[in-house]
Structure formats: C-alpha cells, structure tokens
Amino acid sequence: MHSRTVWLRGWLRAVMAHIEAKIGLGILLFFGLLALSHPVLLETVWLPGIYDPRAGYDISLSHPSPPSGAHLLGTDAFGKDTFSMLLAGTWPALLAGLTAAVTTALVALAVASLSAGFRTADRLLGIVVDAGLYLPVPIVLLIFGADPRADRLTPFIFGLLFGALTGISSGALVLRSQAMPIMASGFVDAARIAGASTRQVIFRHLLPALLPIACAYVVLAAAGAVVTQGFLSWLSYTATYNDWGTLVYWAIVTRDFTGALLWHVLLAAGAALTTLTLGFHLLAIGLRRAAARPWSSQPPPLREPRVAAVVQQRFQPAEPT
Amino acid sequence: MLRRYVVARILAGVVGIIVFLTAVFFGTRLLVPGDFADNFAVGGNPGDAARVREALALDRPVWQQYLIWLGRTFSLDLGQNPRGQPVIDQLLDALPWTLTMFAIGLGAAFLIGSRIGRWAGWRKKSLTPTTLGAATFTSVFPPWLVFLAFYTALNLFGFSRFNDLTALDFYLWRQGPPQDSILWQMMGTALILVGLAAAAIRLLPLKWKAGARRASLFLVPLLTMWWWSQLGIFVYAQDLLGFLAMPVLVLFMLSIGDIVLVIAASMDGLSDSDFVVTARAKGLTDRQVRNRHAGRVALLPALSRLTANLPFALGGLVIVEASFARLGGYRIPVPGVASVLFGSLRERDLMVTMGGLVVVGVITLLLRIVLDLIVVKLDPRIQLEKVVVRA
C-alpha cells in the first residue's frame, strides 16, 4: 500500500481494537441490512396488498393483532404490518444520521482548518462559531418543520440542516480547539521549515491529525440527528410518512380508540430508535478511545521521512573550526 | 484581573449575541413563510391585512424592520403577542419553570453522574456494564421514555388517569399567589443557602471541611424547606415540586448518561499520567487517588463539554417539555419556554418565536459565562492575562 495511507490503516486497526467500535459498527451494519431487505422482501416473500407499509391490510385477521407467524411483530390498529413499517422506517433514520455526519464533518473541518491556517479567517469564524453556540439546533429545526403547508423536511434535507448547524457551532468549537495544539506542534514547525505552504500544512499534516477526533465527534452528531429526527416525526413535523417516530406516535395515540396500548408497536419502534442511536454512540466511544491513545500497539509511522532529512540537513550543528 | 476577564467575556458575548440575533431575524424570515398579517388572509378583506401590515411596520423594507427589531430587543421590548400581551412578560412567566427543571435535573445529573463516571472510568476496562448503560441512557428516544415513565408510575401508584398523577392542586392555587413568583422565591432561597453554606465551609478549619461538606448535603435542603415554611410558601412549593417531578426525572435520566461517559473518558486518559503515579507512590489509597487527584482533573473536560453542549441541553429540555405536553399528561402543559414556543409556531406568531429564541440565547450566554468562570477558577493552568488578550 502507498506510504501515504499507512496512517489510515493504522488508525482503522486502532479503532477496531476497541470492542465498542466493533459493536457499534455491527449495529449500524445490521440496520443497513434491514433497510436493504425491505424492498427485497416486498418483491419476493410479502404480498404488497397485505404488507405494504402505507396501505397494506390483512382481511384474515381482526386488527390490531398481536405478533403471530404471518405478522412477526403483529399489526397496528389500521391493519398494517408492524414489521414492514419498522423496516420501511430504517432507511429515513439511517439517511438522516449519515447525511448529518458527513455534513458536520465537512463544515467543522473546513472551519477548523481555515481558522488554524489563516489568522483573519480565525477572527471572523470565531465570531460566527460563538454566535452559533447560542442556537438551539432542535428548536431551529422545529421552526423549519412546523410549517404545515410544505413537506420540507425529508431525511436528506434534515441531515443537511442538522449537520450544517452542528458543524458551524459545537463541531467547529471542538475541532478548532483540537487544531490549535496541532498547529503549534513540532512536526508542523518542521514542515514549515522545510518550506511547506499553508495549504500543504493543512492538507498533509493538520487534517490527518484531526481526523480521528473529528470522526468521534461526527458520529456523535449522527446520534443526535437520529434522535431529533425521530422527535420531529413524532410531532409529524417531517416529510417522512413511514418513520419510527411516527410509529411511536400512532402506538400511543391509537390507545384512545382501541382501548388497549399497542405494546408490540411501541416497544418495537422505540427499541429500534434507541438501538440505532446506541450504535452511533458506541462507535463514537470506540473512535474517541482510539483517538485518545493513537497507535498504542505500535510506534507511530514516520509520516514524512523527507522532512526529517531536510530538517537534519539544514540544522546541522556548525562544525567547530 | 478577574474583573477584566469578566468584562471582556461579556463584551465578546454581546458581539456574539448581535450576530446570533441577526441570524435569528433573517433565519426566521426565511424559515417561516408568510407573516402575522397572513392570519387575516382568510375571511378578512385585503384592506385589513394591509392596515395590520402598516400598523406593525411589516410593509417597510426588511433592513428597516431588522433595525427596528434589533433596537427594541436591546431595550427588552420583544413586541406583543396577538392577545396584546407583551412577549417579554409571557416569556418571563414561563422562564422560572424551565430554569427550575434545568437546574434540578441537570444539577442532580452532574452530581451523581460525575461520581459514577469517576468510578466507571478508573479501571481500564474495554466495555463495562456502566458505560453500556450510560450509552443506552443517552440514546433513549425522549417521547418514548416519557410515556414509559408515565405508564410505570401510573401502575405503581394505582392512578387511573394521567391527569391524576400530575396536576396542580386547583383549590390551592385558586386564591394563591402566582406560580412563577413562588418558583423565583424557591430558586432564590435555595441559591442563597447554597452560597452561604459554601462560604461557611471555606471558613472552617481543614479537618472539619470534609465532614461539613457531607453534612451540608442534608442540611441545606432541610434549611431551605424551613425557610420556605417561614415564608409561608411551603405548601405551594410542595405542590409545584410534585408537578415538576416527572419532567425533572426524565431530564435527569436523559442527561446523566452523557455526563457519565464524558467523565469516564477523561478518567480513562488520566489513569496512567504522572501525577497519578506520584500520588500512588506517596502511598495514598486507590480511592484517595481516584477522588482527590484524578477525579478533580477529570471534571474540566466535562465542564467544557457542557459549555459546548448547552444549546443541545436546552433543546433537550424543550423536547422533554413538548413530549409531556403532547402526551396529554398535564391538564395544562408544563408552562415553560417550550410551550410558549410551540404555541407561537401554531399561531405563526413570529414575534413570540423570535422572542423565545432570544431568551434561549440569553440564558445560554449567562450560563456559558458562569461555566467559563468555574473553569478558570478550577484550572490553575489558565492564565487570565493571555485569555483576556485573546478575548
């Protein structure tokens, strides 16, 4: 493998050494499989007339029905299959979380590297970040979603907004404070002496060093996005129709006209939301532990042999004459 | 030096707040379509809407509206709601509810969570049941948790309806004092007593300090209650605390996991650092090293994390409030800032929405200054001269 990606491999190995990261990644992959399986199941095993998450109805049963062989998690008060609705709600949640993670990473890393590299940008961005910290992100999204006329908050747009707001406020704060010690460290000085431009310092030294902690923070933001999106759909403020939050809402609300609480719907949807968020949280713990003690099993690979050589060459102690 | 730091911090905060207010003004303009006069679009004639627009200065250019709004906001005039009540009064009535829940819930979570986290992070294990439990607690979906908490409490205490579990005593409040003034009094007395206790403990000789600190955990609440009974507000306080018990409990459960995780993480990083090794070499017991040496240092990252997460914590409180209101558990919803915000969103009442955001921003600013001061006080490595120059 190319020498530039050595640090990436070492980092991945260090992350996967932590059991939290393994479990968290496992949970995320599991939900990814669930999301993929839904269209496949509807194509092959399930009759769309019975199992469609929006309009399915099983006339052979009275609804709501408890879990059975035909309906693994039972049906809700409208006769729709709970398991199918649960699977249909997986993709919106995953999409919101992943979009939020990527957007947070891009915004926060951009702010951090700009303010680490350029002093004027640091002044301006400092004010912006400071102002962003007064913004309560869930409330802003609530205001955005509250307009009943427009179905605006699709999972993708939700993720973009959540990521942008989180990235510009607390994400940028965290990464900026992490970037400052890196910029003052010895290897950056060495690179500067060797003639590296600010751009080279940012892309070849700052960003790789910032990446571990950025990943940990970004995955945490994804967890927040999943919870917030569930909450907004619970209030029916998002554009998604089949959603875990909506499922929780209907499970509680139908209690009023069916007389009994639909425990199978409530527990399934709530547990799915909690487990996916837990997956993101555990992955974040693993990533953070790996970032706190990077490459604990082996010495860090020498990133720039050339720099070391150049530094040595230029700063040879003067020979006594 | 401290005074200069505080002044510099407040000045920086004011600059931040102005940028924040600008974002709030133009953001709400962009996010919420239409204006207040649109409420008359159905049923009224166009002249009515135009007259309302003129009266509210909504027909002027946006930058004029912005300057008018900014000027009024700084003179604490947030406009009026549709019922002609000043927005600032409406929000100030709601503020003590939110603050009480925030203070009790988050304070208890910090006190207990930091102890659990200290204990959980000390042994370098990969994944303890405590960390797993804490991670689960932070991941729980709030409305779901609220509902489960209600349902459990309902079955435990044998109530038949949600309303019986959490409602203010109607006959007590019918001729009683306004609830928000009682809440302000409750918070004020508690704060004064905590401050007095802290000052008294400082004056004590060293050998009595630890015992006094432990005793104050019981004495301060007792004294507070005694003071309430002297003020004649004890029955009201009791009723209010019972009313707030469930939301506070849920907020506590939602925020404790995060605190445990942060403290455990920083303990984990500390357990092989030099000063811990030195403390061990001095012959201190494991518990002493953990609580007195590593535990205190581990508080710092948790505090700065709290600073960065304040808007999220306040947003979480809003989520909890909204969950309670939506579940119909309360005959009247918890009358906090969140309820005001939700009401304003329903009525498309921009003035109240913006006012709510302003109040949340100002609370965040004040709490951040307090937290920054605590960090400066706790961390001797922070040199105020350098900080002041930067701020």
Side-chain angles (χ1 to χ4, degrees):
Chain A
M1 195 169 273
H2 198 273
S3 65
R4 268 190 209 169
T5 49
V6 165
W7 61 271
L8 196 64
R9 271 191 303 166
W11 173 63
L12 280 178
R13 206 179 303 138
V15 171
M16 281 305 136
H18 293 282
I19 182 104
E20 297 96 335
K22 275 185 197 155
I23 299 177
L25 207 60
I27 291 176
L28 295 187
L29 286 178
F30 170 69
F31 277 107
L33 278 181
L34 283 190
L36 284 178
S37 70
H38 187 245
V40 177
L41 279 173
L42 271 182
E43 281 291 317
T44 54
V45 190
W46 285 347
L47 285 175
I50 299 177
Y51 289 99
D52 186 82
R54 291 182 81 140
Y57 190 84
D58 192 350
I59 46 168
S60 64
L61 287 168
S62 71
H63 301 288
S65 69
S68 61
H71 302 280
L72 285 178
L73 288 171
T75 55
D76 72 351
F78 308 105
K80 293 185 285 186
D81 182 66
T82 311
F83 190 49
S84 176
M85 288 194 289
L86 198 74
L87 291 188
T90 312
W91 178 237
L94 273 178
L95 183 63
L98 295 179
T99 321
V102 172
T103 321
T104 311
L106 289 180
V107 174
L109 282 175
V111 172
S113 45
L114 275 179
S115 59
F118 307 97
R119 193 156 295 168
T120 328
D122 186 37
R123 289 266 164 77
L124 289 176
L125 287 171
I127 295 174
V128 173
V129 170
D130 198 53
L133 279 176
Y134 299 111
L135 268 181
V137 178
I139 303 180
V140 174
L141 288 168
L142 210 66
I143 294 173
F144 189 74
D147 179 31
R149 286 179 303 186
D151 266 355
R152 291 191 288 189
L153 275 183
T154 61
F156 181 67
I157 295 188
F158 175 89
L160 279 184
L161 280 174
F162 191 94
L165 288 171
T166 317
I168 199 78
S169 55
S170 46
L173 181 82
V174 171
L175 292 192
R176 226 172 121 229
S177 65
Q178 295 287 333
M180 294 302 163
I182 295 175
M183 288 307 275
S185 66
F187 62 85
V188 170
D189 284 345
R192 281 243 167 90
I193 291 166
S197 66
T198 309
R199 215 187 93 226
Q200 278 170 326
V201 167
I202 286 176
F203 280 100
R204 314 247 333 237
H205 299 275
L206 178 69
L207 287 181
L210 211 53
L211 194 71
I213 197 75
C215 280
Y217 186 81
V218 153
V219 173
L220 217 57
V226 170
V227 171
T228 313
Q229 202 232 9
F231 174 69
L232 285 190
S233 356
W234 183 72
L235 289 171
S236 68
Y237 278 0
T238 55
T240 39
Y241 182 85
N242 271 308
D243 208 335
W244 293 338
T246 329
L247 224 54
V248 173
Y249 172 75
W250 280 116
I252 294 172
V253 163
T254 45
R255 188 179 55 105
D256 292 340
F257 62 86
T258 57
L261 183 67
L262 301 178
W263 279 107
H264 51 278
V265 183
L266 185 73
L267 287 182
L273 258 170
T274 307
T275 317
L276 180 59
T277 319
L278 180 67
F280 278 120
H281 270 303
L282 286 178
L283 185 58
I285 295 175
L287 285 165
R288 199 183 49 213
R289 293 188 67 162
R293 286 202 210 91
W295 305 288
S296 52
S297 53
Q298 58 190 61
L302 191 57
R303 277 190 210 113
E304 287 287 350
R306 265 184 305 144
V307 172
V310 169
V311 171
Q312 220 171 17
Q313 205 179 357
R314 290 200 187 169
F315 289 89
Q316 286 272 322
E319 282 181 22
T321 46
Chain B
M1 208 63 229
L2 192 66
R3 196 177 303 154
R4 263 185 67 193
Y5 171 73
V6 174
V7 170
R9 189 70 195 72
I10 289 176
L11 280 181
V14 167
V15 173
I17 274 279
I18 289 177
V19 179
F20 164 74
L21 288 178
T22 313
V24 164
F25 182 84
F26 290 104
T28 38
R29 279 299 138 109
L30 284 176
L31 292 182
V32 186
D35 57 20
F36 180 68
D38 280 350
N39 285 348
F40 302 99
V42 183
N45 57 46
D48 286 344
R51 229 168 292 135
V52 169
R53 282 215 176 82
E54 200 187 330
L56 298 177
L58 289 173
D59 54 345
R60 297 199 200 167
V62 176
W63 62 271
Q64 278 189 20
Q65 291 183 37
Y66 167 67
L67 286 182
I68 294 173
W69 181 72
L70 200 64
R72 285 204 177 156
T73 303
F74 270 98
S75 55
L76 291 181
D77 176 11
L78 294 176
Q80 291 183 347
N81 65 10
R83 293 172 290 285
Q85 192 188 6
V87 172
I88 185 86
D89 287 359
Q90 200 185 351
L91 286 165
L92 280 182
D93 287 352
L95 192 59
W97 296 91
T98 301
L99 280 185
T100 314
M101 282 190 281
F102 196 67
I104 304 178
L106 223 67
F110 201 84
L111 276 181
I112 299 172
S114 60
R115 277 168 176 70
I116 297 176
R118 203 151 83 178
W119 173 79
W122 191 230
R123 304 253 161 261
K124 268 195 252 170
K125 277 183 190 157
S126 51
L127 185 67
T128 57
T130 324
T131 21
L132 190 62
T136 315
F137 263 95
T138 38
S139 316
V140 171
F141 184 50
W144 192 57
L145 180 67
V146 168
F147 184 80
L148 290 186
F150 255 132
Y151 221 81
T152 318
L154 213 59
N155 290 330
L156 273 185
F157 300 119
F159 289 106
S160 57
R161 293 181 312 150
F162 286 142
N163 286 351
D164 300 336
L165 190 65
T166 50
L168 287 170
D169 188 350
F170 176 73
Y171 295 103
L172 182 67
W173 293 100
R174 194 169 48 172
Q175 286 165 344
Q179 287 147 3
D180 50 308
S181 78
I182 300 284
L183 280 168
W184 283 122
Q185 284 182 47
M186 285 162 63
M187 277 191 284
T189 45
L191 258 182
I192 291 173
L193 281 175
V194 168
L196 281 179
I201 288 172
R202 267 183 88 106
L203 293 176
L204 284 177
L206 189 60
K207 60 177 176 180
W208 289 343
K209 269 186 184 173
R213 222 172 268 141
R214 227 161 279 157
S216 69
L217 278 182
F218 300 97
L219 270 179
V220 169
L222 278 178
L223 273 176
T224 318
M225 280 191 260
W226 174 79
W227 197 349
W228 289 348
S229 66
Q230 290 300 303
L231 288 171
I233 60 169
F234 186 74
V235 267
Y236 302 110
Q238 203 183 4
D239 198 36
L240 285 174
L241 287 180
F243 179 73
L244 288 177
M246 290 290 276
V248 164
L249 186 72
V250 168
L251 187 69
F252 169 79
M253 285 162 83
L254 285 174
S255 42
I256 191 171
D258 196 32
I259 293 165
V260 168
L261 286 180
V262 175
I263 302 245
S266 52
M267 285 297 272
D268 183 42
L270 285 172
S271 51
D272 48 4
S273 55
D274 292 343
F275 73 94
V276 169
V277 176
T278 312
R280 283 228 178 85
K282 279 197 298 189
L284 296 180
T285 63
D286 194 46
R287 220 179 113 192
Q288 282 171 322
V289 178
R290 187 187 72 199
N291 290 353
R292 298 220 187 130
H293 292 254
R296 292 185 182 177
V297 180
L299 274 183
L300 287 171
L303 278 177
S304 43
R305 167 73 181 270
L306 202 63
T307 319
N309 270 13
L310 266 180
F312 275 94
L314 280 167
L317 180 60
V318 167
I319 289 180
V320 170
E321 262 185 56
S323 304
F324 274 94
R326 188 78 182 229
L327 279 178
Y330 284 87
R331 201 168 293 159
I332 43 169
V334 190
V337 175
S339 316
V340 176
L341 262 174
F342 274 107
S344 76
L345 286 180
R346 261 201 309 277
E347 295 168 6
R348 195 161 315 140
D349 183 3
L350 267 185
M351 292 320 277
V352 181
T353 309
M354 292 196 288
L357 283 176
V358 170
V359 165
V360 171
V362 171
I363 298 175
T364 315
L365 171 70
L366 295 178
L367 286 176
R368 271 178 67 191
I369 291 178
V370 170
L371 280 177
D372 281 355
L373 283 179
I374 292 175
V375 169
V376 167
K377 192 82 192 152
L378 283 181
D379 193 348
R381 287 171 304 179
I382 295 178
Q383 292 163 342
L384 277 180
E385 292 85 2
K386 286 183 186 167
V387 179
V388 171
V389 170
R390 262 191 55 207

